[in-house]
Amino acid sequence: MASSSKMEATGKDDEEELARFDDFTLASSWERFISEIEAVCRLWLADGPKNLLEKGAVNLGFSRDLYKVKFELKYLMKSYCMEYYFETTSAGKVTDWNFSMHDLQLSFGVKEFLVIAPQSASGVVLDAPEASKLLSAIAIALSNCSSLWPAFVPVHDPSRKAYIGIQNMGTVFTRRFEADRIGSQVPVKLMHLEGLYELFVSKFAFTTLDVSTHLFKVHFTMKLTYRTLPYDDDDNDVDIQGADADITESGGTPRGDTRNKAQWDDDCPWSEWYSAEDPIKGFELIALWSEKMVENSLEMAELENASPHEAEKWIVFPNLSSHLVDDSRENIMGFSSQLLLLVNALDMSFEAQFMEDFVSVEKSGSDNLKSSMVIPPPTVLDRVLKDLFHEGVESPDLTKAEHKSSRAIKGAPLGSLFAQFCLHSLWFGNCNIRAIASLWIEFVREVRWCWEESQPLPHMAASGVIDLSTCLINQKLKMLAICIEKKCQLSEDYQDSIESKVATPIEMQEDILIQEDSSHMQTPTEDFDGKRDSPLTANGLYNSGATVSRFSTEPEDAVVCADQKPSDGIRRGSAGVVGNMMLLNSHQNLHAPFTQDAPLMTEDMHEERLQAVEAFGDSFSFSAQLEKDILSSDMSAFKAANPDSVFEDFIRWHSPGDWVDDDIKESGVSRSHAAEGSKDDWPPRGRLSERMSEHGNSWRKIWNDAPALPASEQKPLLDPNREGEKVLHYLETLQPHQLLEQMVCTAFRASADTLNQTNFGGLKQMTTKIGQLYLTMASTLKPLQSNRLFGDSEIIEDVRRLCVVFEHVEKLLTLGASLYRKFLQAPRLREAIFSDYYNFYLPKMGTGSVGGDVHKEFDSKQQVRFHERQVLANMFTPPTANQSWRKVLSMGNLLNGHEPILREIIFSTWDRVSGNHYAASTSRGYEQEIETYRMYICGTSNDLQVALSVASCD
């Protein structure tokens, strides 16, 4: 016990002695500064890359694997910042031309390194003794840590990018670094490869030697960067300024006819409405020469005359427009920007009851509204109306540009009159509500003029059916186009009837004789066994040989058939014989009549009929009553074409399913064949179905009341005058919000269909994105299609967000179109570049991975294969006279007359050395090959940067 207590007392005395001990190695401030650097470096060494990442190491944006950490230090009255740069991947050798390298890595061939710099405005050490002392301090600290990190100190002026550095190589060798830059007046000798080679050799050769006559084994590699010339706008500045001034003054559509200069997108579908900025400003081509051995300056002179086609690798990098990279929306013109303005107009449309209220001076609201929403001058309005109504009335094929999902959007199809109106509205007066109102009022006036003057509506087919999947305005315009056509037909029929009254009796008799002769030669080529025959058109005869006028109103024009008795009635309105079918009560062929078309109805008319059905309750009986006019018209036409027919004959032709043949079960003949019968088997045997034979059947009652009148003499089922006026009344009294709702749906659909015509080379990502856009539009615009918005702000905000989605797709599409035109003969390269940008842009669209870096710069590069090189070389067109005078060519390796914008060269020499850490020549020594001299040269004819590293034995 006594011995142990004695030992404890002795230990306490030793601690007290150590506490009173003064460490004179840290006596000065400089030594304490070294100690602080050493402590930080030891900490970073102990943590390693993995722990440093967890502690908040910052990634450098240009490289995915390069990170840095920093620590602030103080020495005397100055503050310094020490930064440690490291990579997460430690395996592998430093690559000479890795595009994601830091400048110091590329200049000196290092991997991880330290940089210590003063925290000042310049960020460099301007005093040479201070720089040397700072570098010595960090070198001592790294040596104490047994660290092999190279360390650098920025010196001189910041524009020179000058550094000095040092690295302990762990043996008897130390590597020293030095970099500097000449910013102007580069010596002519250093503009050429021969002079640069001699500059490097002079660093290790004896000064008395003639470098040009001696051989030195130098490793050489080179990287040349070429850039396509920008568009030469000098000759067209006046034209462009004049066109811009005209657009600004008029507030009209920036159409292609206002440009005197050919644009890159002149053949793109959107060029009719606007000219998009080329998303690709140019290309940078990087030509790489792999490492080779050079022994004299003559070889370097030969290399300077070599063509870039001799390089081992070509790498291309597109220079994209700023709005594709940084999401800037300034001065961007496209469908998406105008659609957003149209949505804003929709939001304001609830402020008035009629469109005239927005144009009226008394009712247009505040002065701010009047000043901010300018209506274009009459000249612009006249130009738009001329384009809509007077540049041709042909009806385009409305389905050729449609996407398979386009019809899910309830709007007017592309190319139709209302779709053209909506697209013009996007660019009319910057698409404000007052400009739209003024254009709509004049549009309706032009439509009424077409109606009153019986002129066909342009961009609207006057035949076919009304597509209920389109918006109501398009349905109404379709109805009006048909009414105008019917109105013209009735007017022509009236004129024909007047002219026929003044015809001579001899001419009328000759016509009848000719018609009788032709009726004897009827050779039907088709069976008329359908429910109703075709519309009253020229090909409704089916080549039957009948020559009777379908619009005749006089009995002299009737056809007297050869198979009827003289005492029988006159047959009128026959379209031909129906197969071998015979009438029940006379041995005559059954004739199919010309019938009227069923009356066309728009969506609101269908809704009115459905509401009437619900009001009456018995939907079947009321539906039959609603169809009475159509059925009565068909029966009248059938009676006129078959004077001796009975109700059963009409059923056999109009509704074969309601005629039961007695011989079907016995003979096993099909119903349709049995209904036809034959001339030898007369009279046809059968009976009406149970439905048609009921007492008080409505069909028989209609038959009994129907007169024998051909379709040409009947009252039209569709009254064109009444229906046309109803359409115009709808257009003239349409409420603003109802108009704008349909305009928004149509504008989105027409804009998307226009872009869908773009040829982008079948890029898979683009095709998928366009399909997704249509589905998104259909779901977002669905509340607007019901015309029951009532100023719902949430729905309008959804549509505004849809404009952003549209902008993303439009941006990608213009890039795809530009790439397609530039890489028509290199599809692989086109797809690779687009795929790189698509993956870069995906996080900005909100559909990328959670870890996507939205602020990352686009720097993707693609290697060019040998068969693709000529495509890229053709983009470097020889400079014009206006471009070549600006620059005197002073460097070699020209590509179609273009010198490289940047030339980077690495010279190096390697030597085998032997020895150990103590420089003792022992048997345990070893040999290794080290890079003794390395020079990185970067620059042009007006700029030269040189970085030299030298390994020496200290």
Side-chain angles (χ1 to χ4, degrees), residues 485-500 536 549-553 711-713 716:
E485 180 70 18
K486 295 287 185 183
K487 185 179 176 182
C488 292
Q489 289 180 2
L490 291 176
S491 178
E492 291 173 2
D493 294 345
Y494 179 74
Q495 282 298 118
D496 293 342
S497 66
I498 296 298
E499 293 174 1
S500 65
L536 299 180
S549 172
R550 288 150 289 159
F551 305 105
S552 61
T553 58
S712 59
E713 299 180 19

Side-chain angles (χ1 to χ4, degrees), residues 59 153 181 213 293 359 465 532 624 717 813:
N59 175 254
V153 176
R181 174 175 174 266
T213 58
M293 187 75 70
V359 183
V465 297
R532 308 181 62 248
L717 294 175
L813 196 62

Side-chain angles (χ1 to χ4, degrees), residues 264-265 268-271 274-280 320-321 323-324 332-336 755 758-760 763 766 770 806-822 834 837 841:
W264 75 275
D265 59 347
C268 292
W270 63 75
S271 61
Y274 67 94
S275 179
E277 179 187 1
D278 193 341
I280 301 178
L320 301 182
S321 177
H323 73 272
L324 261 72
I332 297 178
M333 182 174 291
F335 282 126
S336 57
L755 295 178
T758 306
N759 195 340
F760 50 82
L763 298 168
M766 196 68 255
I770 291 176
F806 198 100
E807 179 187 354
H808 293 322
V809 177
E810 189 175 16
K811 192 179 293 186
L812 289 173
L813 196 62
T814 54
L815 177 63
S818 181
L819 287 172
Y820 175 75
R821 283 153 179 74
K822 293 174 175 61
F834 183 84
Y837 180 78
Y841 192 65

Side-chain angles (χ1 to χ4, degrees), residues 423-606:
L423 290 177
H424 273 286
S425 299
L426 292 178
W427 313 98
F428 186 73
N430 207 19
C431 199
N432 64 77
I433 186 64
R434 297 189 68 219
I436 293 173
S438 64
L439 181 60
W440 173 254
I441 293 171
E442 295 301 322
F443 174 82
V444 175
R445 287 176 183 170
E446 288 291 330
V447 171
R448 176 168 282 281
W449 181 89
C450 291
W451 164 252
E452 293 176 350
E453 299 297 328
S454 298
Q455 296 296 319
L457 276 182
H459 309 291
M460 297 299 296
S463 60
V465 297
I466 296 178
D467 189 356
L468 300 181
S469 66
T470 63
C471 64
L472 187 56
I473 294 179
N474 183 72
Q475 297 176 39
K476 294 291 185 182
L477 291 174
K478 175 73 172 181
M479 172 71 82
L480 186 63
I482 295 174
C483 289
I484 292 174
E485 180 70 18
K486 295 287 185 183
K487 185 179 176 182
C488 292
Q489 289 180 2
L490 291 176
S491 178
E492 291 173 2
D493 294 345
Y494 179 74
Q495 282 298 118
D496 293 342
S497 66
I498 296 298
E499 293 174 1
S500 65
K501 288 181 180 180
V502 298
T504 63
I506 298 176
E507 292 173 348
M508 293 171 62
Q509 292 176 6
E510 290 177 354
D511 290 342
I512 294 175
L513 290 175
I514 293 172
Q515 293 167 357
E516 289 178 353
D517 292 339
S518 63
S519 66
H520 284 281
M521 302 172 60
Q522 289 184 11
T523 54
T525 58
E526 302 222 7
D527 295 339
F528 291 83
D529 54 357
K531 252 187 167 186
R532 308 181 62 248
D533 87 331
S534 63
L536 299 180
T537 57
N539 32 359
L541 288 172
Y542 294 97
N543 299 323
S544 63
T547 59
V548 62
S549 172
R550 288 150 289 159
F551 305 105
S552 61
T553 58
E554 298 299 316
E556 288 81 3
D557 293 336
V559 173
V560 181
C561 293
D563 61 350
Q564 70 182 34
K565 297 178 182 179
S567 60
D568 293 339
I570 298 176
R571 189 186 309 279
R572 294 179 298 171
S574 171
V577 177
V578 183
N580 294 324
M581 291 184 68
M582 308 292 291
L583 296 178
L584 291 174
N585 293 350
S586 63
H587 199 272
Q588 296 181 21
N589 289 330
L590 188 150
H591 286 246
F594 285 107
T595 58
Q596 295 192 60
D597 293 332
L600 299 175
M601 291 187 294
T602 57
E603 185 178 10
D604 57 339
M605 297 169 66
H606 280 284

Side-chain angles (χ1 to χ4, degrees), residues 9-24:
T10 305
K12 290 180 180 180
D13 294 339
D14 294 339
E15 291 178 1
E16 292 177 357
E17 292 178 1
L18 291 174
R20 294 191 301 269
F21 176 75
D22 293 329
D23 187 358
F24 292 99

